[in-house]
């Protein structure tokens, strides 16, 4: 399917074997940013609200002689698998529906982590490390507020802490959406840090919210508000708002850095552990479907952190879809302005090892469609 | 000197041989973002305005038994070399003053290019290529405006065009500060592109200016204006302003992506040609100073594009300092909304080959001070 179930409904699907004919194509695919098949923001209606749409989909699947249906993605995609497998069971369809986890958000329930997260975390930690170094270049007082993706779960923002090591102090403060954000406490914490450090780097989730439930970025008067078909509001400007607030309160230089789309598409800097696991999850989904499983998603179970070992297994989609897994509150420390060693032990294995880009004429090469 | 001449005046200088003791340290230094010795935004006064400062500097140099003075940087740094070598000649000092070019801006006169540019260009082209791919993921209509550094010279923004190749169409429109920016022509060009393409990526220099000389980012009412000691205004928000303008005019989704500080500190993705040349320029400066040269900067002369060959030579600093080299207007095409094949032939050799990061525990390792 191109652009997921939305493209399928429009009759847009391809035979992937025509696109991926050699092992080199597979290697390029592993290094190609974004989703080769495209994505969508289309939410299937409840079955009782629009059974006709389900009838249409199953008619199309039957016409194409589809026996196995795999859907790769995050929470929204798993909702699609849930609905389709539920309808499949209702009509006694023999089609097997399997979810394959893949989201940088790492917010799927029941699974230890999601493929995609490790690579994004590796890029975020790398960029944070480089930014921290750059911020010291003039030896002056300055504050950088780095905005990281994450609407309700702070996994990506937390990964900025991985930059801490023998050659980097890491970010000074980290704010996740798991706990209510308070502007006054934030400013007090910044002031406290200013007493001991000249160059301060703060990582914040785009989705941090006030006690009353409003996003911090909603405080920006000019902020245009868009919602997608899943009802998600477009977020943005959180770091800029906080940087402005710091300047207004302390008169010192504060700059916002939005890692923006780069954090989800920087395929030139990926984790080999992550890319390998993405393929393992896909492979296991195929194996499980052939064995007769349906209405499941492949989850990861961690055996040990060190050495890192994970196993995979299919798991009931009803217990996964529409549930967001957040960073456990016990992994937040220091007045909820940092993450614990437990988080670092959890995340560190996921960013290990590299998958070097295939460079052509000075730039990473991608699989082109 | 730490933080350049400013730190020197404050008595902050180090013995580099204590920091860099092994070949591995040199390899880490090549991969360390920002400037290991720090930088400054301090402009030396005119000699006649404050001869005392020059007397102080030369007294300090004499006390430290300094025979050779090397200053690494861009236009502002070369101004410092110019002033110091001029004063040195006035007082018949035997100290040799040499400039070593290093700026991502590529805007130094007389030299074919500057070390630093190739690596930044490689990152910008890579990020642009990944963004273009990401922008197509939903198959919907969308416009991304990518903001690239460049106050008066468009070298960095132009490098986004290097992303064009057999697996990428490249950005659709490119706006450099070399030509006045006109909002109406811009919107007309965007509309024209919308007829033929769903997903549009536009690269703009942060420093694009209107016909009347105002920066486009000055049109943002809330924009706070800071100036540094060289009189440079803090720029920012150009892409956001243009994205908002597009949305207001066409009602379509437009998003700003600011490559921000990442474009100057992403040392995990550098050009080996560039890093090698940076060392060649430094080495040649030392050799020339030992030979007795002073008041010069090392410049690059291009012999051929293909195969790429450059030679270096010392060049009179008075003909370099305080002159900004801009992108030649004949390298702009298509109503000044793209760059020519000549630009690509010029820039492509500079982004070639990689210098792999030294990875430790999943992240690039830096030389720590």
């Amino acid at each position: 399917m191109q652009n997921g179930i939305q493209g399928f409904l429009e009759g847009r699907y391809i035979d992937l074997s025509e696109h991926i004919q050699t092992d080199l194509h597979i290697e390029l695919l592993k290094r190609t940013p974004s989703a080769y098949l495209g994505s969508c923001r289309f939410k299937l209606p409840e079955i009782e609200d629009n059974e006709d749409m389900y009838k249409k989909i199953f008619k199309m699947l039957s016409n194409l002689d589809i026996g196995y249906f795999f859907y790769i993605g995050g929470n929204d995609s798993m909702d699609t698998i849930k609905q389709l497998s539920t309808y499949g069971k209702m009509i006694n369809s023999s089609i097997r529906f399997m979810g394959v986890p893949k989201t940088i958000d790492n917010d799927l329930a029941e699974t230890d982590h999601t493929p995609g997260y490790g690579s994004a975390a590796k890029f975020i930690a790398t960029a944070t490390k480089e930014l921290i170094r750059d911020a010291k270049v003039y030896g002056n007082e300055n504050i950088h507020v780095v905005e990281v993706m994450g609407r309700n779960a702070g996994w990506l923002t937390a990964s900025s802490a991985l930059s801490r090591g023998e050659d980097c102090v890491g970010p000074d403060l980290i704010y996740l959406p798991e706990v209510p954000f308070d502007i006054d406490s934030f400013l007090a914490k910044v002031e406290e840090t200013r007493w001991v450090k000249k160059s301060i780097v703060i990582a914040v989730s785009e989705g941090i919210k006030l006690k009353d439930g409003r996003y911090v970025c909603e405080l920006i008067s000019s902020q245009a508000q868009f919602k997608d078909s899943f009802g998600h509001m477009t977020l943005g400007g959180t770091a800029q708002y906080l940087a402005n607030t710091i300047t207004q309160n302390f008169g010192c230089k504060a700059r916002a850095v939005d890692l923006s789309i780069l954090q989800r598409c920087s395929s030139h800097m990926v984790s080999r552990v992550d890319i390998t696991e993405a393929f393992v999850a896909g492979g296991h989904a195929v194996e499980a479907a052939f064995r007769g499983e349906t209405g499941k998603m492949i989850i990861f179970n961690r055996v040990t952190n060190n050495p890192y070992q994970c196993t995979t297994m299919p798991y009931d989609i009803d217990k996964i879809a529409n549930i967001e897994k957040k960073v456990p509150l016990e992994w937040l420390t220091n007045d909820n302005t940092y993450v614990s060693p437990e988080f670092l032990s959890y995340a560190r294995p996921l960013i290990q090892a590299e998958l070097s880009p295939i460079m052509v004429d000075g730039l990473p090469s991608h699989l082109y469609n």
Side-chain angles (χ1 to χ4, degrees), chain A:
Chain A
M1 293 173 277
Q2 291 183 306
N3 300 111
I5 194 69
Q6 183 174 19
F8 182 73
L9 280 161
E10 295 164 6
R12 294 190 287 114
Y13 38 79
I14 57 171
D15 180 349
L16 255 187
S17 63
E18 289 172 12
H19 289 238
I20 299 171
Q21 299 181 323
T22 67
D23 287 348
L24 177 60
H25 288 155
I26 293 177
E27 289 308 315
L28 281 170
L29 181 61
K30 288 180 180 175
R31 292 155 171 90
T32 298
S34 187
Y36 187 78
L37 289 167
S39 184
C40 68
R41 288 276 185 216
F42 180 77
K43 188 176 167 61
L44 281 177
E46 293 300 316
I47 296 166
E48 56 270 30
D49 291 343
N50 189 348
E51 199 177 334
D52 283 351
M53 186 178 286
Y54 290 85
K55 282 181 182 161
K56 180 181 173 185
I57 291 170
F58 278 73
K59 185 86 192 325
M60 288 175 75
L61 290 172
S62 164
N63 289 347
L64 289 163
D65 198 23
I66 298 294
Y68 306 93
F69 184 105
F70 303 96
Y71 212 58
I72 307 169
N75 244 316
D76 295 341
S77 303
M78 295 313 136
D79 178 65
T80 299
I81 281 291
K82 181 187 173 199
Q83 301 277 30
L84 291 177
S85 62
T86 301
Y87 188 75
K89 281 169 196 159
M90 279 170 61
I91 62 166
N92 282 316
S93 165
S94 65
I95 303 175
R96 307 294 163 186
F97 293 90
M98 290 294 295
V100 184
K102 186 87 199 273
T103 168
I104 61 164
D105 294 337
N106 200 37
D107 63 349
L108 287 175
E110 302 297 342
T111 184
D112 176 77
H113 63 278
T114 61
Y117 175 61
S119 290
K122 189 183 185 86
F123 175 78
I124 290 165
T126 298
T128 303
K129 192 170 176 179
E130 292 169 338
L131 283 169
I132 288 169
R133 188 67 179 232
D134 186 276
K136 294 200 303 181
V137 70
Y138 293 119
N140 62 350
E141 188 177 31
N142 63 66
I143 299 176
H144 285 79
V145 187
V146 183
E147 181 165 327
V148 186
M149 285 180 175
R151 186 173 300 276
N152 299 310
W155 296 106
L156 290 170
T157 307
S159 71
S160 65
L162 293 165
S163 61
R164 198 172 199 164
E166 61 189 17
D167 57 350
C168 180
V169 295
D172 300 291
L173 301 167
I174 299 175
Y175 290 92
L176 308 188
E178 275 76 1
V179 287
F181 184 83
D182 181 74
I183 299 271
D184 292 333
S185 315
F186 169 74
L187 289 172
K189 209 74 187 167
V190 170
E191 189 166 28
E192 198 182 306
T193 312
R194 286 181 71 217
W195 284 103
V196 289
K197 281 194 77 190
K198 270 181 130 175
S199 173
I200 299 173
V201 174
I202 304 168
V204 298
S205 286
E206 61 179 356
I208 50 172
K209 287 180 222 58
L210 303 172
K211 224 176 191 164
D212 64 14
R214 279 180 302 160
Y215 287 109
V216 170
C217 64
E218 286 182 79
L219 299 175
I220 310 163
S221 50
S222 64
Q223 186 77 14
Q225 309 291 1
F226 294 105
K227 284 193 182 183
D228 69 15
S229 69
F230 282 86
H232 306 321
M233 189 187 294
T234 301
L235 306 179
T238 304
Q240 188 64 59
Y241 176 80
L242 294 177
N244 292 348
T245 305
I246 288 169
T247 300
Q248 279 157 21
N249 277 270
F250 303 120
C252 74
K253 201 173 175 179
R255 180 171 184 161
V257 179
D258 185 355
L259 295 185
S260 188
I261 306 170
L262 297 182
Q263 65 199 290
R264 76 174 182 217
C265 70
S266 289
S267 62
H268 69 271
M269 171 56 97
V270 293
S271 150
R272 181 180 277 263
V273 165
D274 180 46
I275 302 292
T276 304
E277 287 189 339
F279 273 68
V280 167
H284 195 162
V286 171
E287 183 274 332
F290 284 6
R291 238 190 318 114
E293 299 268 24
T294 189
K296 305 243 164 118
M297 184 191 87
I298 299 300
I299 64 164
F300 287 81
N301 292 315
R302 190 169 306 214
V303 182
T304 50
N305 276 341
N306 194 4
Y308 172 68
Q309 291 181 37
C310 259
T311 58
T312 54
M313 62 180 271
Y315 202 87
D316 189 354
I317 195 73
D318 294 339
K319 297 192 174 113
I320 295 173
N322 305 313
I323 300 164
E324 280 176 311
K325 190 180 74 172
K326 299 185 181 180
V327 178
L329 293 183
E330 59 269 28
W331 285 2
L332 287 164
T333 60
N334 197 15
D335 298 339
N336 298 325
T337 62
Y338 220 80
V339 289
S340 72
E342 287 75 18
F343 168 79
L344 296 174
S345 302
Y346 161 82
R348 183 86 61 191
L350 309 179
I351 67 164
Q352 295 300 313
E354 288 69 55
L355 191 72
S356 311
I358 297 174
M359 303 298 286
V360 175
D361 216 5
L363 295 178
S365 187
H366 304 152
L367 186 63
Y368 192 63
N369 51 0

